[in-house]
Amino acid sequence: MVQLKSPLLRQIRRKPLTAIAPITLLVVLVFLFFRSSGSQKLRTYSYKSKKSGFFNHHRDVIPRNLPGDHISHYDLNKLASTPMAAYNKERVLILSPMSKFYNEYWQNILTLTYPRELIELGFIVPRTAEGDVALKKLEKAVKQVQTKDARFAKVTILRQDSESLASQKEKDRHALKVQKERRANMALARNSLLFTTLGPFTSWVLWLDSDIIETPHSLIEDLVSHDKPVISANCYQRYYDDEKKALSIRPYDFNNWVESDEGLKIAAGLEDDEIIVEGYAELATYRPLMAHFYDAKGDINTEMALDGVGGAAVLVKADVHRDGAMFPSFPFYHLIETEGFAKMVKRLGYEVFGLPNYLVFHFNE
């Protein structure tokens, strides 16, 4: 008979159940050792929910080992554009194509009373010598503001990738012969700026030309209070009247208009690639122009239904842009750029309005 000399073996023979636990532990350790040595290390992910973002419905999923990889959720059904925009903390995006930097324009922006933390700014600057100068001045102005506590929510500056007119002097850029080329380029610039900056938290888009140097400080609150899909201010210009020997004002933007029978008749006789531009004697459409309806004693909240708009100071509900309203760089019903935009807005089923007694002022060269 074989003798069990080992005390451990004698113990197992007398009480076999006492060996189950250590043997099981040993088997598990061996299994885990070989499994871990023969496989790659698994990545771990941290799922962090936070209440940042406009709707408190913004969830980031951030892998610890993959920096920058995330998923953002936005519920656009909860996004509103209301006449109480500031109270409801609605985000406003101010967009300005800029060929020249006017300090008066920038100072006017800084005096707007809408909460600055709810305002985003977007600019597009042409690749010209004047554009280079404007870019340097703009960047300097932005840095001075964005380093302070009262900063804008976001500022975006783009360089235009399409051609621009060589001369940006007022008499050159408003010549009739260059209007189709100029406005096509402007439409491309506006679309690039819009599609780059419009976010899922944007409620309103204010198109404000960079040569608009004077507006009411409450411009945004005033325009949103009308609660219209598209609404335009009336653009005038201050000048020195030699006859009266005093400062006076005159209409500047003639692109805010109501369609006329003559305008429709002219359009019907045009080739597909031809356009109508308003405000030129060579194209007498006899359209009622909002610029001529200004009443110094009238109510500034008086509304006027429009068929065409300019780009001086136009407030648009962001959903109008999201639904497809953009600035055609091609003849669209014989209209282009901002006037073509108004036509597209109406084709989408929205209404366009203007405020004939609500003035903003253009720089006078």
Side-chain angles (χ1 to χ4, degrees):
M1 181 178 290
V2 178
Q3 298 293 322
L4 299 176
K5 298 182 179 180
S6 169
L8 177 59
L9 293 177
R10 289 196 299 268
Q11 178 69 17
I12 292 173
R13 184 179 182 184
R14 290 196 302 267
K15 297 180 180 180
L17 294 178
T18 60
I20 292 177
I23 293 174
T24 302
L25 179 61
L26 179 62
V27 171
V28 171
L29 291 175
V30 171
F31 172 76
L32 292 177
F33 173 78
F34 285 105
R35 184 175 183 271
S36 62
S37 63
S39 62
Q40 294 182 346
K41 186 177 180 181
L42 297 176
R43 289 175 175 169
T44 59
Y45 294 83
S46 172
Y47 297 84
K48 183 180 180 182
S49 296
K50 57 184 180 180
K51 292 186 177 180
S52 64
F54 189 69
F55 313 106
N56 293 336
H57 189 67
H58 176 178
R59 183 174 66 185
D60 286 345
V61 182
I62 308 175
R64 290 178 179 174
N65 297 329
L66 295 175
D69 187 9
H70 64 280
I71 300 174
S72 298
H73 297 267
Y74 298 94
D75 187 352
L76 294 182
N77 290 319
K78 296 182 179 180
L79 182 61
S81 302
T82 70
M84 298 180 64
Y87 178 82
N88 293 324
K89 300 187 183 301
E90 296 168 10
R91 191 72 66 92
V92 177
L93 175 62
I94 301 179
L95 298 180
S96 299
M98 179 176 288
S99 58
K100 289 183 180 180
F101 179 85
Y102 294 100
N103 187 59
E104 297 92 335
Y105 158 86
W106 183 251
Q107 293 305 317
N108 185 72
I109 287 285
L110 297 182
T111 62
L112 296 178
T113 54
Y114 197 80
R116 197 173 290 181
E117 66 272 15
L118 298 177
I119 296 177
E120 292 191 13
L121 302 179
F123 305 94
I124 187 166
V125 184
R127 293 186 179 277
T128 62
E130 285 185 329
D132 293 340
V133 174
L135 178 63
K136 291 180 180 179
K137 292 181 178 180
L138 175 61
E139 288 179 335
K140 181 179 179 181
V142 168
K143 289 178 181 177
Q144 290 176 347
V145 172
Q146 294 302 92
T147 55
K148 300 178 181 179
D149 292 335
R151 67 187 69 183
F152 294 100
K154 184 179 180 181
V155 179
T156 302
I157 302 175
L158 305 180
R159 291 308 300 270
Q160 191 171 337
D161 58 358
S162 56
E163 297 296 326
S164 299
L165 293 180
S167 174
Q168 289 296 325
K169 293 182 179 180
E170 189 170 315
K171 65 180 182 66
D172 294 329
R173 70 175 187 267
H174 287 295
L176 178 59
K177 64 181 179 180
V178 302
Q179 287 312 297
K180 187 176 180 180
E181 175 190 358
R182 170 182 175 267
R183 295 191 183 187
N185 291 335
M186 280 297 301
L188 291 173
R190 288 184 186 277
N191 291 333
S192 295
L193 184 56
L194 173 65
F195 298 151
T196 303
T197 56
L198 185 67
F201 33 73
T202 307
S203 292
W204 301 89
V205 178
L206 173 63
W207 290 96
L208 189 67
D209 279 351
S210 62
D211 39 21
I212 299 301
I213 60 172
E214 182 184 343
T215 72
H217 300 326
S218 56
L219 173 67
I220 296 175
E221 294 93 327
D222 294 341
L223 295 183
V224 301
S225 68
H226 290 266
D227 196 24
K228 300 300 184 184
V230 178
I231 192 161
S232 176
N234 202 357
C235 182
Y236 266 54
Q237 189 178 55
R238 297 192 187 278
Y239 74 104
Y240 184 78
D241 190 324
D242 292 327
E243 293 184 1
K244 297 180 180 179
K245 303 298 181 183
L247 285 176
S248 186
I249 61 174
R250 60 191 174 195
Y252 184 84
D253 189 348
F254 299 103
N255 294 330
N256 298 297
W257 46 261
V258 180
E259 189 57 274
S260 66
D261 291 338
E262 185 63 25
L264 293 173
K265 182 179 178 180
I266 293 174
L270 295 177
E271 297 293 334
D272 289 344
D273 62 344
E274 293 181 298
I275 65 170
I276 299 174
V277 286
E278 196 53 60
Y280 294 86
E282 298 92 327
L283 290 170
T285 62
Y286 300 102
R287 290 166 172 165
L289 307 180
M290 187 174 74
H292 295 157
F293 283 78
Y294 170 62
D295 180 1
K297 297 181 180 179
D299 183 357
I300 62 171
N301 292 314
T302 298
E303 297 175 355
M304 178 178 180
L306 298 175
D307 295 299
V309 294
V314 182
L315 186 72
V316 183
K317 288 190 176 184
D319 279 348
V320 175
H321 281 309
R322 291 192 184 96
D323 282 351
M326 40 77 79
F327 300 89
S329 59
F330 51 88
F332 182 75
Y333 291 87
H334 303 292
L335 301 171
I336 200 169
E337 204 220 344
T338 59
E339 293 167 298
F341 164 73
K343 184 68 172 181
M344 193 172 292
V345 167
K346 301 199 75 172
R347 292 289 294 174
L348 287 168
Y350 294 103
E351 293 182 296
V352 179
F353 291 87
L355 300 175
N357 300 327
Y358 190 94
L359 299 186
V360 299
F361 291 92
H362 190 280
F363 182 80
N364 186 3
E365 295 184 2

